[in-house]
Amino acid sequence: MLMIRHSIGSRLLCQTNRYTIEQQDDRWLISLPVDEETASKVLDFKDEINLFEVKENEKTWFYSSDGDIHFQGEKLMIVADHKTVYPT
């Protein structure tokens, strides 16, 4: 599961099981299908979001230092430059 949260107050902006994460050198491309309303909410806070990938035995925190987030067609694409893995 992937959760996108506003970093101030931790408000949930999106939660989905439909996403991909691809490592590209020292960055990660995270893409997911969303509607325009969800994309707008995320883009409003693009400099203040945290992403969490939750698996059975670990939780991974991603964020984009420079707010590199785009909505193209029906896909939200986030380029994260930080990743921290926590055991659960």
Side-chain angles (χ1 to χ4, degrees):
M1 169 181 44
L2 181 74
M3 295 184 293
I4 301 175
R5 294 187 169 275
H6 185 217
S7 61
I8 302 167
S10 196
R11 184 174 112 197
L12 182 64
L13 302 173
C14 179
Q15 180 174 318
T16 185
N17 287 316
R18 295 177 53 210
Y19 65 95
T20 61
I21 300 175
E22 300 172 31
Q23 186 165 1
Q24 298 179 339
D25 298 319
D26 60 346
R27 295 178 180 263
W28 296 267
L29 175 62
I30 301 165
S31 60
L32 57 145
V34 296
D35 57 36
E36 287 186 35
E37 181 181 346
T38 301
S40 179
K41 284 192 295 186
V42 173
L43 289 169
D44 283 347
F45 299 110
K46 70 179 189 173
D47 294 318
E48 303 170 349
I49 66 163
N50 290 315
L51 298 101
F52 298 96
E53 182 183 32
V54 180
K55 295 182 178 177
E56 186 174 329
N57 295 318
E58 69 182 26
K59 182 167 142 180
T60 305
W61 170 40
F62 295 92
Y63 70 84
S64 176
S65 297
D66 52 4
D68 192 354
I69 301 171
H70 307 280
F71 182 59
Q72 296 176 340
E74 297 177 352
K75 279 205 170 190
L76 189 63
M77 292 180 286
I78 303 164
V79 179
D81 58 350
H82 179 80
K83 174 184 174 181
T84 303
V85 179
Y86 302 94
T88 55

